[in-house]
Amino acid sequence: MPKQLPWGQSVKEIHAWVAAYESSHRVTTAEARHAVATEYGFGSWRQLEAYATHPGDNADFLLLSCLAYFQTDRPDNRARARRMLESDSGLGTGDIWHAACVGDVAAVARFLDGEPSLVDQRGGYFDWEPLLYACYSRLDLDGHSTLGVAGLLIERGADPDSHYMWGGQYRFSALTGAFGEGEMGPVNQPPHEHCLALAGLLLDAGADPNDGQALYNTMFTPGQECLAMLLDHGLNRDHRNNWRWADKDGVYTDNPDRTLDYQLNWAIQKHHVERARLLIDHGADVTGRTQNGKTLYEAAVRAGHPDLARYLAERGAEAAELDVSARLIGACQAGDSDTARQLVKDNPGLIERVQQAEADLVVDAAGTNRLEAVRLMADLGFDLGRVGDVATLHQAAFQGHRDMVELLLEKGASLGARDNYHAATPLQWAVTAGSSEVADYLKSLPIGVFDAVVAGDIDRLGSLLDDDSSLLDSTIGAERGGDAVHEADWQTPLAFAVLRKQVAAVRLLLDRGARVDIVDGDGRSLVDIARDDSTPEIVELLSRASR
């Protein structure tokens, strides 16, 4: 079985593995590359290389056009790809992979007429089959049809189960591409413009309905169209998630999780009640437990869904008496003020004990837009700040819940709080998710210098510096506070603006006297950082300021 690829491996390290394999096995470079790629679960060397180098300079047309399932997935990428196509009309017809990506049915037909074997031949930036480019493309061009391309490819014999292994571990199929969505949200990772028609085409042609990745990607938002369609085409209680599972030694084995059981666990905890009922009705195991050992009955009560808990119990779920902490959590999530207040009154210190044990409780409620639950918890005295790694405001902003954001701010949440993962503010989370309404609202509030850079608000940035010139030397680390160290702590407003490619902000900060002689944690100068990660114009501005 393949081995798990350690996170964060550099291209240099992977090339060193190839050189070592080539030397020890006395094979060619091509043979060594293929061996290393397959050792870590990739279909080819190019797929490993694309994964390890992503996002690179983000300049390849196919990379920009398709969902790549990295944090760099953005609507701006597709817009840039469309502009590239406008300036070079031949870009979409150079080979079958580009033609499939742009949805040029006639061009794809010509390629297949000339060489039928191209129908399942891998190529292009990701080393995918043409069908994958049609299913992961999000260009949606007038007069073109990636749905039409997919139909033609299937008609000519393309494998409806075409897939690649993301990170060597997760099975991303043509069907996964059709349904889209994912951890970055539906703005950044939208479904295909003809999602249901494309998915139906693939399933009718024989695509495996046990698509764990498609179900995973679509489980973050309400609704069950993806699940219902897969169930209608044969997904059942015996199927197991078709991701590879890494054991304690980092070797992939068969995944122990059954697909429907995994989905039921998530649906209950994330308030997808109708989806949970659908899963139960199709045989998901109601006697299972959550990752932290709770029964599904207790999970439903704690999520504030007593009716769902009863539905589970009626179908065999264990319905034991719950302790006072679980009852308080359930009352809060259900917005049951009377019960919650009585429990708090009868049990001194209960709120502190619950929040210490359930650090993500308010965060999860905010992220799923449980307004009454969050309002009640705030009134009872729950901490709305960063109890765990992420503050409540971050999650609400990322999910685009404007009402929740306003409620949290009204109840005292901090606009300038930073999470422990990215050392980012709620505004940065909203911008990252493409939650434009929330981002615009947060930009209108009294944001700080770093957020002024994010907002591209040069007037605000200038005003802040007028009021306090010492902000030029402020750092993310100083804003975060605490003893923990984050890799972004060294960044000043200027360094932050450089990394975010904000030319106007860089120019203003330099004009105000921002220091250029700063280095990152690896000792790289700001000019060197700009050469690697910013724009030529910013490199020129910094170079002039350094003379």
Side-chain angles (χ1 to χ4, degrees), residues 330-347:
C332 288
Q333 289 280 27
D336 184 350
S337 178
D338 291 342
T339 299
R341 292 182 188 280
Q342 190 63 51
L343 288 169
V344 170
K345 180 181 178 181
D346 294 344
N347 298 274

Side-chain angles (χ1 to χ4, degrees), residues 57 257 274 301 350 451 466 471 473 491 505 512:
D57 61 2
D257 293 326
E274 293 308 312
V301 172
L350 178 59
D451 274 352
D466 288 340
L471 292 173
D473 296 320
Q491 292 177 29
R512 294 298 185 94

Side-chain angles (χ1 to χ4, degrees), residues 388-408:
D389 289 319
V390 179
T392 52
L393 195 56
H394 288 82
Q395 201 59 259
F398 187 86
Q399 298 299 336
H401 300 318
R402 166 74 180 266
D403 291 344
M404 181 62 74
V405 167
E406 292 188 24
L407 172 63
L408 290 168

Side-chain angles (χ1 to χ4, degrees), residues 13-316:
E13 289 171 311
I14 292 172
H15 278 282
W17 298 345
V18 170
Y21 190 97
E22 185 178 349
S23 174
S24 62
H25 290 77
R26 298 182 180 278
V27 295
T28 66
T29 300
E31 290 170 331
R33 285 179 170 182
H34 181 74
V36 168
T38 55
E39 182 179 13
Y40 288 99
F42 292 85
S44 68
W45 166 256
R46 177 55 200 160
Q47 289 184 5
L48 170 57
E49 188 177 45
Y51 174 81
T53 58
H54 190 82
D57 61 2
N58 224 30
D60 185 89
F61 175 77
L62 294 177
L63 168 62
L64 293 167
S65 302
C66 297
L67 296 185
Y69 283 92
F70 282 85
Q71 289 188 354
T72 50
D73 278 343
R74 294 288 190 282
D76 287 348
N77 290 355
R78 277 87 75 182
R80 183 177 170 191
R82 293 184 195 103
R83 291 194 297 271
M84 292 171 69
L85 196 58
E86 288 172 1
S87 63
D88 181 3
S89 59
L91 189 58
T93 56
D95 55 51
I96 193 171
W97 305 285
H98 283 76
C101 180
V102 302
D104 191 329
V105 179
V108 171
R110 287 195 298 272
F111 282 115
L112 293 176
D113 289 343
E115 190 175 344
S117 65
L118 285 173
V119 72
D120 273 332
Q121 188 168 312
R122 291 198 302 238
Y125 180 88
F126 295 105
D127 199 33
W128 288 347
E129 293 90 340
L131 182 61
L132 291 180
Y133 285 106
C135 293
Y136 284 85
S137 173
R138 292 299 183 267
L139 289 177
D140 192 14
L141 300 170
D142 290 339
H144 293 70
S145 174
T146 49
L147 174 61
V149 165
L152 173 64
L153 290 166
I154 293 292
E155 181 184 314
R156 296 292 187 95
D159 181 3
D161 258 337
S162 296
H163 68 277
Y164 74 101
M165 301 303 292
W166 189 95
Q169 182 173 8
Y170 301 102
R171 185 180 185 274
F172 277 67
S173 68
L175 197 55
T176 308
F179 284 114
E181 301 194 35
E183 294 177 1
M184 291 294 292
V187 173
N188 292 318
Q189 294 168 329
H192 188 275
E193 61 269 22
H194 299 293
C195 168
L196 297 183
L198 178 56
L201 170 72
L202 295 167
L203 287 163
D204 289 343
D208 187 356
N210 180 32
D211 198 312
Q213 192 63 49
L215 287 167
Y216 177 88
N217 289 349
T218 56
M219 74 184 189
F220 299 97
T221 53
Q224 53 267 4
E225 285 183 321
C226 173
L227 173 62
M229 180 172 276
L230 297 181
L231 288 168
D232 286 346
H233 283 80
L235 175 65
N236 63 64
R237 62 183 300 173
D238 296 323
H239 281 126
R240 295 186 181 275
N241 277 335
N242 50 15
W243 305 319
R244 290 170 174 150
W245 182 270
D247 66 16
K248 60 183 177 60
D249 297 320
V251 177
Y252 292 138
T253 60
D254 290 337
N255 197 313
D257 293 326
R258 293 199 301 185
T259 306
L260 298 191
D261 298 349
Y262 180 92
Q263 288 293 315
L264 177 60
N265 201 311
W266 178 274
I268 292 171
Q269 295 181 74
K270 296 302 179 182
H271 313 288
H272 299 317
V273 175
E274 293 308 312
R275 187 181 301 174
R277 288 175 179 267
L278 183 62
L279 288 159
I280 294 166
D281 292 346
H282 280 80
D285 183 10
V286 299
T287 67
R289 290 179 177 265
T290 65
Q291 286 186 331
N292 54 11
K294 303 288 191 301
T295 66
L296 296 185
Y297 174 87
E298 179 176 349
V301 172
R302 289 162 64 95
H305 301 296
D307 290 345
L308 178 59
R310 284 190 291 272
Y311 195 75
L312 284 158
E314 289 166 0
R315 283 151 181 78

